[in-house]
Each structure stands twice: as structure tokens, then as C-alpha cells.
Amino acid sequence: MLTNKEVQHIAQLARIKLTEKEEEKFKNELSSILDYIKKLNELNTEDVKPLYQTTGIINALRPDEHRRDFETDENLNEKLVGQAPHTQNRFVKVKSVLSKSQITNTKSQTNSNG
Amino acid sequence: MAKFQNNKPGGHTIRDVQEGLRKKEFSAEEIFSHYQKKIDKENKKLNAYLSTMDYGLWTMDYGKPLAAVPCAVKDNILIDGTVCTAGSNILKNYVAAYDATAIKKLKSAGVQFLGKTNLDEFAMGTTTENSAFGPSKNPLDTSRISGGSSGGSAAAVAADLAVFALGSDTGGSIRYPAAMCGVVGLKPTYGRVSRHGLIAMASSFDQIGPLTKTVEDAALVLNEICGHDNLDSTTSKNNVPDFTENLSKDIKGLRVGVPKEFFREGLSAEVAEKVRSTISKLENIGCKIKEITLPNFEYALAAYYVLVPSEASANLARFDGVRYGYSSKAETLLDAYLESRSEGFGPEPKRRIMIGTYSLSAGYYDAYYTKAQKARALIKNDFDEAFNPSADGGVDIIVGPTTPTTAFKIGEKSSDPLALYLEDIYTVPVNLAGLPGVSIPCGFGKESGLLVGFQMIGKSFDEETLLRAAYNLEQNLELRT
């Protein structure tokens, strides 16, 4: 059985915010799914190579030329960037990654490290 | 137009459309508006379509292979300029910026698109109950599930609200609803059809394929959508035959494998009985039936429910409220991620993202993810052994049930995610091994009176033999009038 702390940790890694009710519900559901998956431990997989895909294709390369999608469809930039909830000119606008205090901390650390 | 005003039992096939056009019984626009009107009238009770489209201007030449054939498209396949929701609130307003390769190919074959069909959110489910827009209903009995995840596509074809439909199959999502609604559902070999423009769930499993009224129609659609694509590096450069060419050749002497593991606990009596009698029919038309074994069959579902959530958790990381789709009004970047995803995703994507995240996280990766990849190798090896021509008793195709039961009631199993996962038990191994599989209706269950799906599994890239066997069987079942 997963603990509440473990569920919170997974949810945080997955960038999903859970309500307390959801946390309880997912704790039970995820635990029973993981219990079922433990069935795999019955299998002897010594000397078995993991299989990541079934095609056998390795390194499918294209010619080293740029795709001309944006030339053949002049509205493509607007169609793609225009979907973003926040844009500025032809760019996607993102919230600041570091807060001011974090930047100051980083600076002072860099300074003290010389 | 007389022909299209009549309700032909079982609905119209691609061949019907081609013949009618040739004889000038109707025009492309007339067929299209026939279906539009039918959808207007009947979709409300089925919830098969999420959105409808207008007549496109690309059919023009009636000489094209699928000229004017009206088609429904699962709403996780992009059509330029139309909304594509993937059954999720997070993409409720998303407008596709380009055509999926399969769509581009169908357009050049002259196909017309009627609209986009309902699915479990991000194709995660077996009933369409996970759709943010409500479940699709089974046309055979509207209190029952349509199956999933391509349930809207299956319901649309079964109710003749489209001549055919496209679906996608990650662990049974074409074959399962085809079985529930009594239509033909084909999952091609992994790498046969380009995934470019299919909203990804699990990239090493997903495959686009047709849901149709006949096996011949499935072959006609596969002819048009398959082939290598520079925009999907996992597509194969293997030769593409004309899948219709040898359909009607007999299957005398075809070696048909029946895995004994398919007939154990969990399989309902009525499905077992119908599948057994269908196998006898194959024997009657000259097939050699052999009992075979897939020793690791019972581990397939466990491996699948590690690998697919793992790939899904990575694929769905892109839904962050920054690039497109639903975005919360949170102040900071982290809160915007957390809130956009928790408000935008329904319970099943959350469940799978968390299972995947757990399986891939530090300390668990080898125990879960690598272990499951090793199990995947063993399961693929079981199929390789069964098909191996040099081994004693190597078979040409493998057959069995598509699903454990016939269509159950909406709501009957929705409270237990694990019980629903078990519904995929016969379809999932085929995706793990990347093989082609088809489900065809094989008769009515004695208890429920509902249609039973018969699954046929082929060798890698041998859809030709698979479809020929399915066609021959279909001709001997006499389900269509």
C-alpha cells in the first residue's frame, strides 16, 4: 500500500495537484494497480534483453535539410503560436521561471564561490 | 438518391458508394448530405460524434480510390483547421494546425469527413465512460457501452452514421469497440500506418486503423492510409501490397493457432461458445486448427499497464498550460503547471500519469519499467515461436475472442479501474508484440443476444493473409443480409 506521502510525491513529480479526497482515492486505486503489476516478479527475466520497440528500425534519419513547412504554409506560425494562452508578438509568453529572490540567492552564491 | 433514402440493413459499404457513383445514382454531395441529416437526427441518442464538418472541396475526381466516401474520424487524429479534443477538457478548444498523415492520404484518395468521434480521454479506456463529453452508447442497445476507446467511431459505423471510421489502437481501442458494436476493426502492424498527427498516448504501441462494415472495406482503407512517412520515423519501408487483391482466394490448408491460454477463467460462457463454433467454421472451410501455447500470456496485462502509463506520462507532459490547451490563472509557473493539469485532466489520465511517473522514478525504474520491457520481450517471443515456420506446428494466423464478455451496461464497471483494465486481456498482447489484429462479429451470444467479436492475429506485416482469412470467414458467417 502506498503511503499518503508517496502519493503526494508522485503527484508533485507529475505536476498534478490533488485535493485531499483525490489523494485518498488515488492512494487506493494506484495501490491496487501496483499490486496487480507485482505479478511480473513471478517471471524469470534473467538474460532477457528489454524490448523497447517492435520495428527493429534503428536510426531512421532524414536528409539534413530544413523542413519547408513554414514556407509552404505562411499561416503556420500563427496557427501554432496562436494556440498558446499567452503570447507576445510571435512568441509564447511564459511566466518567469525564477523569482527575484531566487535570482538574488543564486548571484550571492556565485559570488561567494568566487 | 433512392438508394440512400432506404435504410439498407447493416448500412452502406465503400463498395456501395463506389457502385452508386459509377452508375450515377447519386453525387458526392448527395451522399454527404444524406449522412449529415442522419447524424443530425440520430447522434443525440448515441453521442458518437463530438463535432461535425462541412463538405470538403477535395473530392472532385470520382476516379479516386475512395472518392466521396463519407468517413468519421476519432477525435485524437488531427484535421487541419478543426477542433481536436482527444476527449479531454484540456484540449476542448484546441484547433489542429495541420493534417495527420492518414488524413492527408484519405483526402488525396477523395474521402469526405463527416466529423470527429467520441473517445475515452486521450484514448485511455475501454468504454468511452472516460470521455469528458459523456459516453457513446451502443447502437445495439443504448443502455450498454460502445466499447472504447474508439467507441464513437464504432457506434457511428454500426448505426450507419458513417460509411467507415478511423480509430486508434494502443491496447485494443479499435478491436474492442468493434466487437462491442458488431463491426470490423483492424489494427495494422505497428509501423504500417504513420502516427504523425495522432495525439500520442503510448508511442511504441499506438496505431491508426479502420473500423468498417466489411473486411473488404477494411482492406480498401488500409490500402490508402499505410506506407512509410518521413514524419514518423517508426513507419516501415516494407513493400505495401494491394490488400484487396487476394482477399477472395480460399484459405484451404491455412494453419490456424488457438492459444489454450485464451480459454481460461474470465472468459464468459457465451463468448467461449461462439468463438469455438467460429473456429469449427474455419475448420469446415479447410483450415488446419492447432492448439498452441503463449506461455507468458498471463503477464501481458501487467507489462502493458507499466509500459503504457510510462510512455503516456512522458507524452502528456506537454500539456502544461503554456503551449496550448487549458491554462489556469495561477500566479507562478509551478502553480500554473499544477493547476492547469489538475483542472484539465480527468481521473483516468491522472491515474495513468501517476502510475507512469512512479514506474519511471528513481529507485523504481528497474523494478517496474525495465522488468516490464523484459516481459514484453518474452511475450513477443511467444508469438514469434508460434508463427515460426521452421518449428513444428508453426501457424499462419492465431485466433480467439476479442473481449471476455459482450457489451455490459454503462456504469456497471466504471467504479473499479482495475476491472476495466482486465477487459483488454485478449487485445493487449497483440500491441505488446506489434502485430496486426482484426476483430469481426461472429454471431450473437446465447445469453445476452449481443454480438460477439472474433479476434484474428497475423504475422508482422502480413495483413494480407490476415485479411484474406477474415474475408473468407466473413463470407461463411452470413451475418450481413
Side-chain angles (χ1 to χ4, degrees), chain B residues 348-402:
Chain B
E348 186 61 25
K350 284 180 189 169
R351 224 162 3 240
R352 293 207 195 181
I353 289 169
M354 286 194 283
I355 289 286
T357 303
Y358 181 78
S359 307
L360 295 173
S361 64
Y364 297 100
Y365 185 93
D366 281 336
Y368 286 91
Y369 187 68
T370 308
K371 185 76 182 178
Q373 295 289 23
K374 288 180 176 180
R376 185 179 193 180
L378 291 174
I379 289 151
K380 181 171 182 291
N381 189 55
D382 285 353
F383 281 106
D384 290 346
E385 284 297 309
F387 284 127
N388 185 356
S390 65
D392 180 44
V395 298
D396 301 305
I397 60 165
I398 294 171
V399 301
T402 309

Side-chain angles (χ1 to χ4, degrees), chain B residues 23 31 67 115 173 177 183 319 334 376 463:
Chain B
K23 292 183 182 159
I31 314 169
S173 281
V183 299
F319 301 102
L334 182 61
R376 185 179 193 180
E463 286 91 348

